[in-house]
């Protein structure tokens, strides 16, 4: 019997079966492709573009499943685990070589003419673009691409058509000492924009999955199944995927988790060289975390990592030899963090000052107390990737399963008599964050704890705490949390009631379209209540054998289906560069460089093609420029902000108007003020009316297609 179990194959003549599988899986791939097209036509309408890459992907998926019938699954996963770093590197190299990325840049096809013979890579290979993620395709990605035309310098004169610091806010790829802690940007500088975009997207997802797995191998004491589950829950978390390319949430998660691992390894080795390496990597993690510079997530997430660090230090302090030399490494790491971060701050001091003195986001103070309606938002996250809702990003969470996890954790601590330091610390932090988010806090307390710098974005961090909590509990014991059958039944019934309440509350507080009568069928809500009930019940059953495997597989599938299909799979940057307008802009800039202004959606497209554009997203306000139009400063409150600028032309005097959102304003521009602003080119739609009756200059048409025109501004 033991001899049979040790055999790697489940069939005789495995080579023949593996060869046969090639044909079977090829047929399966074409079958999946046909089903994909039918499903696409039903849900989205139209047909996805033909893609051999998609069929190849379906084949690889089918063949991987087929391998389980030929090779014993435990052998497959032992191989993956043993060579996980090499396999991850191979996947990363493949993705970069193929220029795969997840940008929604194909949205530009909606606004711009793709040309007579557009590249097939202008549309997603798999999935759909997300217009709602305009912060990515219309701001962050164009800013990154504009750096190619700036030789990756610190001050970028293309964004805003004004020297713009690229090291802060949406910090971008720059040749600078800070690059040492920004490995996800190296691709831009080494390989150019298209490969760099792939390096950025693929590298961050692979790194997040791997680092999360490694950290939870530590937290769960080597429980591989639960560690894989953690990697899926966090890497494919809806909040991670909906906000994947902006606000640096991925960088924070990677850097923070890796820093905890470095602390652990530092404390558990006697080798001084290894200690030095761990201290150096810790310093890089600290810098990467600081450079993320998005306080709404940085601050609450820092509390989580502080709790994990305390637990690691307390649990491992007696391990290995404690030497005085360790302090040199610790101090050295802190000095490295302080030195480079201080240099970064001094280098970008003006940009920090501009941001802090803006009407938005500089003067924002958050005191909590406004998230009651979002506590159960995670219950909608399984459907939002497949349903058109006004703003699924704001409701994107992680699967923390509030309040079930809190009940489970309290029950566990009572059973353990409080003897689990990590669970105690995390539960206290969870309670503090929940109290702040639900009930609010006085402004002085919010500022003292730095939580005044966060927003409702604290909710996904609470979800992360809950994930750590229930995985730590699951790894501690396979026995039910309640000893008696009647008490188990009580908890299971309580879980069912709370689950039903959670989905009922979510459907009525998040978005009306989620109500059964408007879009989401009752079956979905009943199904999700069943998922939550099963989650609760699992903790009050004997968690062994097939039940454990089934639970892990189901949770991984839940996480994957909730996040993996949020962003499209694209190849190359053709959706931007392979367009007639892009070619025209680059040609004009090369022959007669100038300053641009644009209406509609064209502004940020222009900077992606190297054209300095006044109306591109002003990540800092160009106060000196706007003072030319507003010398008395009457409208400063309107334009002194991070802003998307809506441009229109008027025969009246130039005026600024507040926008519909805090990050927008409208510039109603008299054409004669084009000279005041030093504009050389206007890019707009053919339908745009530019009043020229009293215009003191000339507008010469230099480019025209069905959706865009370019005028050169001249004097009489």
């Amino acid at each position: 019997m033991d001899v049979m179990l040790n055999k790697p194959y489940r069939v005789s003549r495995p080579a023949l079966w593996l060869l046969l599988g090639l044909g079977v899986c090829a047929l399966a791939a074409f079958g999946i492709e046909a089903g994909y097209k039918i499903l696409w036509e039903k849900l989205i309408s139209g047909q996805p573009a033909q893609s051999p890459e998609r069929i190849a992907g379906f084949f690889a998926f089918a063949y991987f499943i087929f391998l389980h019938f030929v090779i014993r699954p435990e052998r497959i996963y032992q191989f993956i685990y043993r060579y996980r770093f090499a396999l991850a590197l191979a996947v990363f190299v493949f993705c970069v070589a193929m220029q795969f990325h997840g940008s929604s840049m194909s949205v530009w096809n909606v606004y711009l003419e793709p040309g007579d013979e557009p590249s097939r890579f202008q549309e997603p290979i798999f999935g759909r673009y997300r217009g709602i993620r305009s912060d990515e395709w219309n701001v962050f990605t164009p800013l990154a691409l504009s750096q190619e035309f700036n030789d990756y310098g610190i001050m970028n004169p293309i964004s805003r058509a004004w020297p713009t610091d690229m090291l802060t806010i949406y910090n971008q790829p720059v040749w600078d000492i800070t690059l040492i802690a920004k490995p996800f940007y190296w691709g831009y500088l080494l390989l150019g924009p298209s490969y760099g975009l792939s390096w950025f997207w693929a590298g961050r997802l692979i790194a997040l999955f791997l680092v999360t797995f490694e950290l939870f191998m530590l937290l769960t004491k080597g429980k591989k199944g639960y560690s894989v589950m953690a990697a899926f829950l966090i890497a494919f978390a809806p909040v991670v995927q909906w906000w994947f390319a902006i606000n640096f949430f991925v960088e924070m998660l990677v850097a923070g988790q890796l820093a905890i691992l470095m602390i652990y390894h530092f404390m558990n080795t006697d080798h001084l060289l290894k200690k030095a390496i761990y201290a150096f990597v810790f310093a890089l993690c600290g810098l990467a975390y600081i450079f993320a510079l998005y306080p709404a997530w940085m601050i609450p997430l820092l509390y989580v990592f502080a709790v994990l660090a305390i637990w690691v230090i307390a649990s491992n302090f007696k391990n290995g030899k404690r030497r005085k030399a360790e302090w040199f490494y610790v101090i050295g790491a802190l000095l490295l963090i302080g030195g480079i971060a201080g240099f970064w701050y001094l280098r970008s001091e003006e940009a920090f000052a501009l941001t802090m003195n803006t009407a938005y986001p500089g003067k924002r103070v958050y005191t909590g107390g406004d998230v009651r309606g979002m506590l159960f938002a995670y219950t909608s996250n399984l459907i939002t990737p497949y349903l058109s809702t006004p703003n699924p990003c704001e409701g994107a969470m992680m699967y923390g399963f509030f309040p079930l996890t809190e009940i489970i954790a309290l029950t566990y601590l009572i059973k353990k008599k409080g003897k689990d330091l990590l669970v105690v610390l995390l539960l206290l932090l969870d309670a503090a964050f929940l109290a702040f988010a639900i009930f609010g806090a006085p402004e002085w307390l919010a500022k003292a704890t730095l939580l005044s710098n966060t927003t409702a974005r604290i909710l996904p961090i609470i979800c992360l705490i809950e994930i750590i909590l229930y995985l730590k509990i699951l790894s501690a014991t396979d026995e039910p949390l309640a000893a008696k059958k009647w008490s188990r039944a009580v908890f299971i019934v309580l879980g069912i009631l709370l689950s039903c309440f959670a989905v009922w509350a979510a459907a009525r507080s998040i978005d009306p379209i989620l109500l059964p009568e408007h879009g989401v069928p009752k079956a979905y809500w009943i199904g999700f209540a069943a998922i939550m009930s099963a989650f609760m019940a699992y903790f009050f059953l004997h968690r062994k054998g097939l039940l454990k495997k089934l639970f892990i597989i189901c949770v991984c599938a839940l996480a994957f289906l909730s996040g993996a299909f949020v962003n499209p799979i694209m190849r190359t940057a053709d959706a931007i560069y392979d367009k007639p307008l892009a070619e025209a802009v680059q040609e004009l800039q090369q022959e007669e460089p100038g300053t641009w202004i644009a209406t509609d959606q064209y502004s940020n497209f222009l900077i992606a093609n190297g054209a300095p554009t006044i109306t591109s997203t002003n990540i800092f306000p160009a106060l000196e420029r706007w003072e030319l139009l507003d010398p008395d400063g009457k409208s400063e409150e309107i334009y002194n902000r991070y802003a998307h600028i809506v441009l229109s032309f008027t025969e009246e005097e130039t005026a600024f108007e507040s926008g519909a959102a805090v990050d927008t304003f409208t510039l109603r521009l008299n054409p004669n003020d084009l000279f005041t602003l030093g504009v050389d080119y206007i890019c707009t739609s053919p339908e745009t009316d530019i009043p020229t009756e009293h215009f003191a200059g000339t507008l010469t048409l230099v480019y025209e297609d069905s959706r865009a025109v370019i005028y050169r501004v001249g004097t009489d």
Side-chain angles (χ1 to χ4, degrees), residues 182-210:
K182 298 178 182 178
F184 303 123
Y185 282 145
W186 294 352
Y188 283 106
L189 293 101
L190 296 173
L191 303 172
S194 189
Y195 290 100
L197 190 65
S198 178
W199 183 300
F200 178 79
W201 279 82
R204 292 159 78 247
L205 180 59
I206 293 168
L208 179 58
F209 193 93
L210 267 182

Side-chain angles (χ1 to χ4, degrees), residues 634-649:
K634 294 179 180 178
S635 300
E636 184 175 341
E637 185 72 15
I638 295 175
Y639 55 72
N640 184 19
R641 65 186 61 241
Y642 171 100
H644 306 286
I645 301 172
V646 179
L647 172 67
S648 64
F649 291 97

Side-chain angles (χ1 to χ4, degrees), residues 14-333:
L16 181 62
W17 279 99
L18 291 173
L19 187 62
L20 178 64
L22 295 174
V24 172
C25 293
L27 290 173
F30 282 101
I32 298 171
E33 169 72 0
Y36 176 76
K37 287 183 176 180
I38 293 170
L39 191 63
W40 184 279
E41 192 170 10
K42 274 191 173 183
L43 296 179
I44 301 173
S45 78
Q47 281 283 330
Q50 293 295 324
S51 171
E53 293 89 353
R54 186 170 61 240
I55 295 173
F58 290 150
F59 170 80
F61 170 75
Y63 200 72
F64 178 72
I65 300 299
F66 178 80
L67 287 177
H68 289 66
F69 297 96
V70 179
I71 304 172
R72 294 189 182 280
E74 59 270 20
R75 289 300 184 97
I76 295 175
Y77 294 105
Q78 284 172 6
F79 177 85
I80 293 173
Y81 175 73
R82 184 175 181 181
Y83 297 104
R84 62 191 182 281
F85 296 112
L87 291 170
L89 179 61
V91 171
F92 171 68
V93 170
F94 174 77
C95 288
V96 173
M98 295 293 288
Q99 302 178 62
F100 287 130
H101 61 82
S103 171
S104 288
M105 60 171 59
S106 57
V107 174
W108 290 114
N109 293 332
V110 175
Y111 301 106
L112 301 174
E113 186 177 290
D116 295 330
E117 296 182 2
S119 162
R120 66 183 179 87
F121 299 131
Q122 290 207 28
E123 292 292 339
I125 291 171
F126 186 84
R128 58 191 295 193
Y129 60 75
R130 300 291 179 178
I132 189 67
R133 296 311 311 126
S134 57
D135 283 347
E136 179 272 310
W137 60 265
N138 191 38
V139 183
F140 187 88
T141 299
L143 273 173
L145 299 182
S146 75
Q147 279 292 82
E148 174 72 10
F149 300 91
N150 185 46
D151 295 326
Y152 296 98
I154 294 173
M155 300 305 292
N156 184 332
I158 298 170
S159 171
R160 308 184 300 160
W162 196 271
T164 303
D165 189 307
M166 290 287 104
L167 289 177
T168 56
I169 308 300
Y170 284 129
N171 69 82
Q172 295 294 333
V174 167
W175 282 114
D176 181 74
I177 185 62
T178 58
L179 192 66
I180 193 175
K182 298 178 182 178
F184 303 123
Y185 282 145
W186 294 352
Y188 283 106
L189 293 101
L190 296 173
L191 303 172
S194 189
Y195 290 100
L197 190 65
S198 178
W199 183 300
F200 178 79
W201 279 82
R204 292 159 78 247
L205 180 59
I206 293 168
L208 179 58
F209 193 93
L210 267 182
V211 171
T212 303
F213 174 80
E214 297 299 325
L215 177 65
F216 278 84
M217 283 291 284
L218 168 62
L219 297 179
T220 63
K221 296 182 179 178
K223 303 291 173 58
K224 296 185 183 70
Y226 289 137
S227 299
V228 168
M229 194 171 92
F232 271 89
L233 282 166
I234 293 174
F236 294 105
V239 67
V240 169
Q241 292 301 318
W242 281 105
W243 296 92
F244 192 81
I246 63 168
N247 296 344
F248 307 101
F249 195 29
V250 173
E251 283 82 351
M252 292 180 224
L253 289 169
V254 171
Q257 292 184 106
L258 186 56
I260 301 301
L261 286 168
M262 292 304 101
I263 294 172
Y264 170 80
H265 289 298
F266 182 90
M267 300 192 71
N268 284 277
T269 183
D270 296 329
H271 199 289
L272 289 179
L273 178 58
K274 288 183 178 180
K275 285 183 181 289
I277 293 171
Y278 296 141
F280 178 71
V281 175
F282 175 86
L284 296 184
C285 291
L287 287 168
Y289 196 89
I290 292 169
F291 294 154
L293 200 64
Y294 186 69
W297 276 327
M298 284 178 72
I299 300 302
L301 197 54
L302 187 61
Y303 277 95
V304 179
F305 291 132
V307 164
L308 292 175
I310 290 169
W311 174 75
V312 167
I313 293 170
S315 304
N316 296 275
F317 190 77
K318 295 181 180 179
N319 297 347
K321 292 181 180 179
R322 302 274 74 87
R323 303 179 182 180
K324 291 181 179 179
E326 290 183 358
W327 288 105
F328 290 101
Y329 298 137
V330 172
I331 293 170

